[in-house]
Amino acid sequence: HVPYCREMVEGLAEREMTEVTLMIGGVIPRQDFAALADLGIDGIFDSNTRSREILDFLQTRAGGSP
């Protein structure tokens, strides 16, 4: 997932789409969270993340309050 996210971030930058909210979820090792955040991934959710947490993240990013 880190190489795929790097490729995605680079592709977005090439297209000058730097204001896009990026999020990833699934079976993601905690030790990779920092590398993903350094790439510019805004929301990182492992398989134990509750749906409410993801919804709160999306609502906050959209300008609302959870």
Side-chain angles (χ1 to χ4, degrees):
H1 52 271
V2 173
Y4 296 118
C5 287
R6 181 177 293 113
E7 184 178 334
M8 178 179 59
V9 168
E10 290 170 357
L12 289 169
E14 289 172 4
R15 291 164 182 80
E16 298 181 11
M17 297 177 67
T18 57
E19 298 299 319
V20 175
T21 296
L22 302 174
M23 54 190 284
I24 185 173
V27 181
I28 302 170
R30 286 272 173 191
Q31 65 263 25
D32 289 349
F33 278 36
L36 291 165
D38 288 345
L39 287 174
I41 305 300
D42 302 299
I44 306 164
F45 306 99
D46 66 17
S47 57
N48 295 316
T49 305
R50 296 192 177 275
S51 298
R52 180 81 259 165
E53 184 178 343
I54 297 169
L55 292 171
D56 288 347
F57 168 82
L58 290 170
Q59 187 172 19
T60 300
R61 293 300 291 199
S65 58

PDB file of all heavy atoms in Angstrom, residues 12-41:
ATOM      1  N   LEU A  12      -1.320  12.643  -8.626  1.00  0.00           N
ATOM      2  CA  LEU A  12      -2.161  13.807  -8.314  1.00  0.00           C
ATOM      3  C   LEU A  12      -1.351  15.100  -8.396  1.00  0.00           C
ATOM      4  O   LEU A  12      -1.837  16.112  -8.896  1.00  0.00           O
ATOM      5  CB  LEU A  12      -2.797  13.644  -6.934  1.00  0.00           C
ATOM      6  CG  LEU A  12      -3.888  12.587  -6.836  1.00  0.00           C
ATOM      7  CD1 LEU A  12      -4.257  12.333  -5.378  1.00  0.00           C
ATOM      8  CD2 LEU A  12      -5.116  12.985  -7.635  1.00  0.00           C
ATOM      9  N   ALA A  13      -0.119  15.063  -7.904  1.00  0.00           N
ATOM     10  CA  ALA A  13       0.738  16.250  -7.948  1.00  0.00           C
ATOM     11  C   ALA A  13       1.030  16.650  -9.387  1.00  0.00           C
ATOM     12  O   ALA A  13       1.024  17.842  -9.722  1.00  0.00           O
ATOM     13  CB  ALA A  13       2.038  15.989  -7.188  1.00  0.00           C
ATOM     14  N   GLU A  14       1.272  15.656 -10.251  1.00  0.00           N
ATOM     15  CA  GLU A  14       1.518  15.946 -11.669  1.00  0.00           C
ATOM     16  C   GLU A  14       0.325  16.638 -12.306  1.00  0.00           C
ATOM     17  O   GLU A  14       0.478  17.427 -13.242  1.00  0.00           O
ATOM     18  CB  GLU A  14       1.814  14.652 -12.429  1.00  0.00           C
ATOM     19  CG  GLU A  14       3.157  14.050 -12.110  1.00  0.00           C
ATOM     20  CD  GLU A  14       3.336  12.670 -12.722  1.00  0.00           C
ATOM     21  OE1 GLU A  14       2.443  12.191 -13.459  1.00  0.00           O
ATOM     22  OE2 GLU A  14       4.378  12.048 -12.442  1.00  0.00           O
ATOM     23  N   ARG A  15      -0.861  16.338 -11.807  1.00  0.00           N
ATOM     24  CA  ARG A  15      -2.086  16.926 -12.343  1.00  0.00           C
ATOM     25  C   ARG A  15      -2.520  18.165 -11.548  1.00  0.00           C
ATOM     26  O   ARG A  15      -3.624  18.662 -11.708  1.00  0.00           O
ATOM     27  CB  ARG A  15      -3.197  15.884 -12.336  1.00  0.00           C
ATOM     28  CG  ARG A  15      -2.948  14.785 -13.348  1.00  0.00           C
ATOM     29  CD  ARG A  15      -3.822  13.570 -13.074  1.00  0.00           C
ATOM     30  NE  ARG A  15      -3.569  12.489 -14.000  1.00  0.00           N
ATOM     31  CZ  ARG A  15      -2.552  11.621 -13.916  1.00  0.00           C
ATOM     32  NH1 ARG A  15      -1.669  11.718 -12.940  1.00  0.00           N
ATOM     33  NH2 ARG A  15      -2.415  10.658 -14.800  1.00  0.00           N
ATOM     34  N   GLU A  16      -1.638  18.602 -10.644  1.00  0.00           N
ATOM     35  CA  GLU A  16      -1.885  19.771  -9.797  1.00  0.00           C
ATOM     36  C   GLU A  16      -3.152  19.619  -8.973  1.00  0.00           C
ATOM     37  O   GLU A  16      -3.895  20.572  -8.738  1.00  0.00           O
ATOM     38  CB  GLU A  16      -1.904  21.044 -10.637  1.00  0.00           C
ATOM     39  CG  GLU A  16      -0.580  21.303 -11.323  1.00  0.00           C
ATOM     40  CD  GLU A  16      -0.563  22.569 -12.151  1.00  0.00           C
ATOM     41  OE1 GLU A  16      -1.504  23.387 -12.050  1.00  0.00           O
ATOM     42  OE2 GLU A  16       0.408  22.749 -12.900  1.00  0.00           O
ATOM     43  N   MET A  17      -3.397  18.406  -8.509  1.00  0.00           N
ATOM     44  CA  MET A  17      -4.573  18.111  -7.672  1.00  0.00           C
ATOM     45  C   MET A  17      -4.117  17.895  -6.229  1.00  0.00           C
ATOM     46  O   MET A  17      -4.310  16.836  -5.653  1.00  0.00           O
ATOM     47  CB  MET A  17      -5.288  16.874  -8.209  1.00  0.00           C
ATOM     48  CG  MET A  17      -5.844  17.045  -9.601  1.00  0.00           C
ATOM     49  SD  MET A  17      -6.605  15.535 -10.232  1.00  0.00           S
ATOM     50  CE  MET A  17      -8.011  15.381  -9.131  1.00  0.00           C
ATOM     51  N   THR A  18      -3.516  18.915  -5.657  1.00  0.00           N
ATOM     52  CA  THR A  18      -2.932  18.790  -4.325  1.00  0.00           C
ATOM     53  C   THR A  18      -3.921  19.073  -3.201  1.00  0.00           C
ATOM     54  O   THR A  18      -3.597  18.864  -2.036  1.00  0.00           O
ATOM     55  CB  THR A  18      -1.709  19.714  -4.189  1.00  0.00           C
ATOM     56  OG1 THR A  18      -2.125  21.057  -4.477  1.00  0.00           O
ATOM     57  CG2 THR A  18      -0.607  19.304  -5.152  1.00  0.00           C
ATOM     58  N   GLU A  19      -5.099  19.543  -3.525  1.00  0.00           N
ATOM     59  CA  GLU A  19      -6.091  19.877  -2.501  1.00  0.00           C
ATOM     60  C   GLU A  19      -7.105  18.748  -2.289  1.00  0.00           C
ATOM     61  O   GLU A  19      -8.156  18.962  -1.702  1.00  0.00           O
ATOM     62  CB  GLU A  19      -6.812  21.172  -2.865  1.00  0.00           C
ATOM     63  CG  GLU A  19      -5.896  22.379  -2.955  1.00  0.00           C
ATOM     64  CD  GLU A  19      -5.206  22.680  -1.636  1.00  0.00           C
ATOM     65  OE1 GLU A  19      -5.852  22.584  -0.583  1.00  0.00           O
ATOM     66  OE2 GLU A  19      -4.005  23.004  -1.676  1.00  0.00           O
ATOM     67  N   VAL A  20      -6.791  17.558  -2.765  1.00  0.00           N
ATOM     68  CA  VAL A  20      -7.678  16.409  -2.658  1.00  0.00           C
ATOM     69  C   VAL A  20      -7.469  15.732  -1.306  1.00  0.00           C
ATOM     70  O   VAL A  20      -6.333  15.541  -0.872  1.00  0.00           O
ATOM     71  CB  VAL A  20      -7.395  15.406  -3.799  1.00  0.00           C
ATOM     72  CG1 VAL A  20      -8.214  14.150  -3.658  1.00  0.00           C
ATOM     73  CG2 VAL A  20      -7.634  16.060  -5.145  1.00  0.00           C
ATOM     74  N   THR A  21      -8.548  15.387  -0.630  1.00  0.00           N
ATOM     75  CA  THR A  21      -8.444  14.623   0.612  1.00  0.00           C
ATOM     76  C   THR A  21      -8.181  13.170   0.264  1.00  0.00           C
ATOM     77  O   THR A  21      -8.914  12.558  -0.503  1.00  0.00           O
ATOM     78  CB  THR A  21      -9.746  14.715   1.430  1.00  0.00           C
ATOM     79  OG1 THR A  21      -9.942  16.071   1.826  1.00  0.00           O
ATOM     80  CG2 THR A  21      -9.696  13.840   2.666  1.00  0.00           C
ATOM     81  N   LEU A  22      -7.112  12.639   0.810  1.00  0.00           N
ATOM     82  CA  LEU A  22      -6.731  11.253   0.548  1.00  0.00           C
ATOM     83  C   LEU A  22      -6.937  10.419   1.796  1.00  0.00           C
ATOM     84  O   LEU A  22      -6.538  10.811   2.891  1.00  0.00           O
ATOM     85  CB  LEU A  22      -5.256  11.186   0.129  1.00  0.00           C
ATOM     86  CG  LEU A  22      -4.874  12.000  -1.100  1.00  0.00           C
ATOM     87  CD1 LEU A  22      -3.374  11.957  -1.311  1.00  0.00           C
ATOM     88  CD2 LEU A  22      -5.609  11.494  -2.321  1.00  0.00           C
ATOM     89  N   MET A  23      -7.559   9.264   1.603  1.00  0.00           N
ATOM     90  CA  MET A  23      -7.744   8.356   2.730  1.00  0.00           C
ATOM     91  C   MET A  23      -7.538   6.930   2.245  1.00  0.00           C
ATOM     92  O   MET A  23      -7.742   6.627   1.074  1.00  0.00           O
ATOM     93  CB  MET A  23      -9.119   8.530   3.357  1.00  0.00           C
ATOM     94  CG  MET A  23     -10.281   8.412   2.421  1.00  0.00           C
ATOM     95  SD  MET A  23     -11.843   8.915   3.158  1.00  0.00           S
ATOM     96  CE  MET A  23     -12.209   7.535   4.195  1.00  0.00           C
ATOM     97  N   ILE A  24      -7.114   6.094   3.167  1.00  0.00           N
ATOM     98  CA  ILE A  24      -6.851   4.695   2.868  1.00  0.00           C
ATOM     99  C   ILE A  24      -7.346   3.871   4.047  1.00  0.00           C
ATOM    100  O   ILE A  24      -7.325   4.325   5.195  1.00  0.00           O
ATOM    101  CB  ILE A  24      -5.348   4.460   2.595  1.00  0.00           C
ATOM    102  CG1 ILE A  24      -5.090   3.021   2.173  1.00  0.00           C
ATOM    103  CG2 ILE A  24      -4.498   4.857   3.771  1.00  0.00           C
ATOM    104  CD1 ILE A  24      -3.674   2.760   1.721  1.00  0.00           C
ATOM    105  N   GLY A  25      -7.798   2.674   3.753  1.00  0.00           N
ATOM    106  CA  GLY A  25      -8.275   1.812   4.818  1.00  0.00           C
ATOM    107  C   GLY A  25      -8.075   0.350   4.485  1.00  0.00           C
ATOM    108  O   GLY A  25      -7.904  -0.017   3.334  1.00  0.00           O
ATOM    109  N   GLY A  26      -8.072  -0.451   5.517  1.00  0.00           N
ATOM    110  CA  GLY A  26      -7.925  -1.893   5.347  1.00  0.00           C
ATOM    111  C   GLY A  26      -6.937  -2.464   6.333  1.00  0.00           C
ATOM    112  O   GLY A  26      -6.737  -1.929   7.412  1.00  0.00           O
ATOM    113  N   VAL A  27      -6.298  -3.528   5.932  1.00  0.00           N
ATOM    114  CA  VAL A  27      -5.300  -4.179   6.787  1.00  0.00           C
ATOM    115  C   VAL A  27      -3.979  -3.444   6.573  1.00  0.00           C
ATOM    116  O   VAL A  27      -3.214  -3.754   5.670  1.00  0.00           O
ATOM    117  CB  VAL A  27      -5.169  -5.677   6.451  1.00  0.00           C
ATOM    118  CG1 VAL A  27      -4.149  -6.329   7.361  1.00  0.00           C
ATOM    119  CG2 VAL A  27      -6.518  -6.367   6.572  1.00  0.00           C
ATOM    120  N   ILE A  28      -3.772  -2.443   7.398  1.00  0.00           N
ATOM    121  CA  ILE A  28      -2.591  -1.588   7.280  1.00  0.00           C
ATOM    122  C   ILE A  28      -1.811  -1.681   8.584  1.00  0.00           C
ATOM    123  O   ILE A  28      -2.336  -1.341   9.647  1.00  0.00           O
ATOM    124  CB  ILE A  28      -2.995  -0.125   7.020  1.00  0.00           C
ATOM    125  CG1 ILE A  28      -3.843  -0.045   5.754  1.00  0.00           C
ATOM    126  CG2 ILE A  28      -1.757   0.761   6.912  1.00  0.00           C
ATOM    127  CD1 ILE A  28      -4.483   1.289   5.543  1.00  0.00           C
ATOM    128  N   PRO A  29      -0.562  -2.123   8.530  1.00  0.00           N
ATOM    129  CA  PRO A  29       0.242  -2.213   9.748  1.00  0.00           C
ATOM    130  C   PRO A  29       0.461  -0.833  10.378  1.00  0.00           C
ATOM    131  O   PRO A  29       0.718   0.145   9.660  1.00  0.00           O
ATOM    132  CB  PRO A  29       1.571  -2.798   9.270  1.00  0.00           C
ATOM    133  CG  PRO A  29       1.283  -3.399   7.931  1.00  0.00           C
ATOM    134  CD  PRO A  29       0.157  -2.610   7.362  1.00  0.00           C
ATOM    135  N   ARG A  30       0.340  -0.768  11.678  1.00  0.00           N
ATOM    136  CA  ARG A  30       0.529   0.503  12.394  1.00  0.00           C
ATOM    137  C   ARG A  30       1.877   1.136  12.077  1.00  0.00           C
ATOM    138  O   ARG A  30       1.991   2.364  12.024  1.00  0.00           O
ATOM    139  CB  ARG A  30       0.410   0.292  13.913  1.00  0.00           C
ATOM    140  CG  ARG A  30      -0.996   0.080  14.373  1.00  0.00           C
ATOM    141  CD  ARG A  30      -1.629   1.402  14.649  1.00  0.00           C
ATOM    142  NE  ARG A  30      -3.038   1.203  14.943  1.00  0.00           N
ATOM    143  CZ  ARG A  30      -3.897   2.174  15.022  1.00  0.00           C
ATOM    144  NH1 ARG A  30      -3.500   3.403  14.865  1.00  0.00           N
ATOM    145  NH2 ARG A  30      -5.154   1.941  15.282  1.00  0.00           N
ATOM    146  N   GLN A  31       2.902   0.306  11.861  1.00  0.00           N
ATOM    147  CA  GLN A  31       4.239   0.857  11.600  1.00  0.00           C
ATOM    148  C   GLN A  31       4.298   1.590  10.255  1.00  0.00           C
ATOM    149  O   GLN A  31       5.240   2.330  10.001  1.00  0.00           O
ATOM    150  CB  GLN A  31       5.329  -0.207  11.694  1.00  0.00           C
ATOM    151  CG  GLN A  31       5.245  -1.296  10.660  1.00  0.00           C
ATOM    152  CD  GLN A  31       4.542  -2.538  11.157  1.00  0.00           C
ATOM    153  OE1 GLN A  31       3.716  -2.469  12.076  1.00  0.00           O
ATOM    154  NE2 GLN A  31       4.845  -3.667  10.559  1.00  0.00           N
ATOM    155  N   ASP A  32       3.289   1.415   9.397  1.00  0.00           N
ATOM    156  CA  ASP A  32       3.260   2.117   8.117  1.00  0.00           C
ATOM    157  C   ASP A  32       2.483   3.428   8.176  1.00  0.00           C
ATOM    158  O   ASP A  32       2.521   4.210   7.226  1.00  0.00           O
ATOM    159  CB  ASP A  32       2.637   1.230   7.038  1.00  0.00           C
ATOM    160  CG  ASP A  32       3.535   0.070   6.648  1.00  0.00           C
ATOM    161  OD1 ASP A  32       4.725   0.058   7.055  1.00  0.00           O
ATOM    162  OD2 ASP A  32       3.049  -0.837   5.946  1.00  0.00           O
ATOM    163  N   PHE A  33       1.803   3.680   9.271  1.00  0.00           N
ATOM    164  CA  PHE A  33       0.991   4.893   9.377  1.00  0.00           C
ATOM    165  C   PHE A  33       1.821   6.154   9.166  1.00  0.00           C
ATOM    166  O   PHE A  33       1.404   7.069   8.461  1.00  0.00           O
ATOM    167  CB  PHE A  33       0.277   4.962  10.722  1.00  0.00           C
ATOM    168  CG  PHE A  33      -0.996   4.159  10.788  1.00  0.00           C
ATOM    169  CD1 PHE A  33      -1.141   2.947  10.135  1.00  0.00           C
ATOM    170  CD2 PHE A  33      -2.064   4.612  11.537  1.00  0.00           C
ATOM    171  CE1 PHE A  33      -2.313   2.214  10.212  1.00  0.00           C
ATOM    172  CE2 PHE A  33      -3.248   3.887  11.620  1.00  0.00           C
ATOM    173  CZ  PHE A  33      -3.370   2.689  10.951  1.00  0.00           C
ATOM    174  N   ALA A  34       2.991   6.224   9.769  1.00  0.00           N
ATOM    175  CA  ALA A  34       3.832   7.429   9.661  1.00  0.00           C
ATOM    176  C   ALA A  34       4.273   7.651   8.220  1.00  0.00           C
ATOM    177  O   ALA A  34       4.237   8.785   7.725  1.00  0.00           O
ATOM    178  CB  ALA A  34       5.037   7.330  10.585  1.00  0.00           C
ATOM    179  N   ALA A  35       4.678   6.591   7.531  1.00  0.00           N
ATOM    180  CA  ALA A  35       5.109   6.717   6.138  1.00  0.00           C
ATOM    181  C   ALA A  35       3.953   7.189   5.259  1.00  0.00           C
ATOM    182  O   ALA A  35       4.141   8.032   4.370  1.00  0.00           O
ATOM    183  CB  ALA A  35       5.658   5.388   5.624  1.00  0.00           C
ATOM    184  N   LEU A  36       2.761   6.670   5.514  1.00  0.00           N
ATOM    185  CA  LEU A  36       1.592   7.090   4.745  1.00  0.00           C
ATOM    186  C   LEU A  36       1.248   8.550   5.022  1.00  0.00           C
ATOM    187  O   LEU A  36       0.944   9.313   4.104  1.00  0.00           O
ATOM    188  CB  LEU A  36       0.408   6.185   5.056  1.00  0.00           C
ATOM    189  CG  LEU A  36       0.550   4.750   4.538  1.00  0.00           C
ATOM    190  CD1 LEU A  36      -0.485   3.843   5.192  1.00  0.00           C
ATOM    191  CD2 LEU A  36       0.449   4.713   3.028  1.00  0.00           C
ATOM    192  N   ALA A  37       1.315   8.953   6.283  1.00  0.00           N
ATOM    193  CA  ALA A  37       1.052  10.355   6.636  1.00  0.00           C
ATOM    194  C   ALA A  37       2.088  11.269   5.987  1.00  0.00           C
ATOM    195  O   ALA A  37       1.751  12.338   5.484  1.00  0.00           O
ATOM    196  CB  ALA A  37       1.039  10.530   8.147  1.00  0.00           C
ATOM    197  N   ASP A  38       3.349  10.828   5.968  1.00  0.00           N
ATOM    198  CA  ASP A  38       4.407  11.626   5.339  1.00  0.00           C
ATOM    199  C   ASP A  38       4.170  11.803   3.841  1.00  0.00           C
ATOM    200  O   ASP A  38       4.580  12.800   3.260  1.00  0.00           O
ATOM    201  CB  ASP A  38       5.779  10.986   5.561  1.00  0.00           C
ATOM    202  CG  ASP A  38       6.265  11.110   7.000  1.00  0.00           C
ATOM    203  OD1 ASP A  38       5.695  11.923   7.766  1.00  0.00           O
ATOM    204  OD2 ASP A  38       7.213  10.380   7.360  1.00  0.00           O
ATOM    205  N   LEU A  39       3.511  10.837   3.230  1.00  0.00           N
ATOM    206  CA  LEU A  39       3.171  10.945   1.807  1.00  0.00           C
ATOM    207  C   LEU A  39       2.039  11.935   1.558  1.00  0.00           C
ATOM    208  O   LEU A  39       1.827  12.364   0.433  1.00  0.00           O
ATOM    209  CB  LEU A  39       2.751   9.575   1.256  1.00  0.00           C
ATOM    210  CG  LEU A  39       3.836   8.555   1.048  1.00  0.00           C
ATOM    211  CD1 LEU A  39       3.226   7.216   0.641  1.00  0.00           C
ATOM    212  CD2 LEU A  39       4.822   9.029  -0.021  1.00  0.00           C
ATOM    213  N   GLY A  40       1.305  12.260   2.614  1.00  0.00           N
ATOM    214  CA  GLY A  40       0.192  13.191   2.470  1.00  0.00           C
ATOM    215  C   GLY A  40      -1.174  12.545   2.569  1.00  0.00           C
ATOM    216  O   GLY A  40      -2.180  13.169   2.252  1.00  0.00           O
ATOM    217  N   ILE A  41      -1.214  11.292   3.026  1.00  0.00           N
ATOM    218  CA  ILE A  41      -2.494  10.631   3.214  1.00  0.00           C
ATOM    219  C   ILE A  41      -3.151  11.263   4.441  1.00  0.00           C
ATOM    220  O   ILE A  41      -2.576  11.280   5.526  1.00  0.00           O
ATOM    221  CB  ILE A  41      -2.327   9.111   3.401  1.00  0.00           C
ATOM    222  CG1 ILE A  41      -1.539   8.505   2.233  1.00  0.00           C
ATOM    223  CG2 ILE A  41      -3.679   8.440   3.565  1.00  0.00           C
ATOM    224  CD1 ILE A  41      -2.149   8.688   0.871  1.00  0.00           C
TER     225      ILE A  41
END
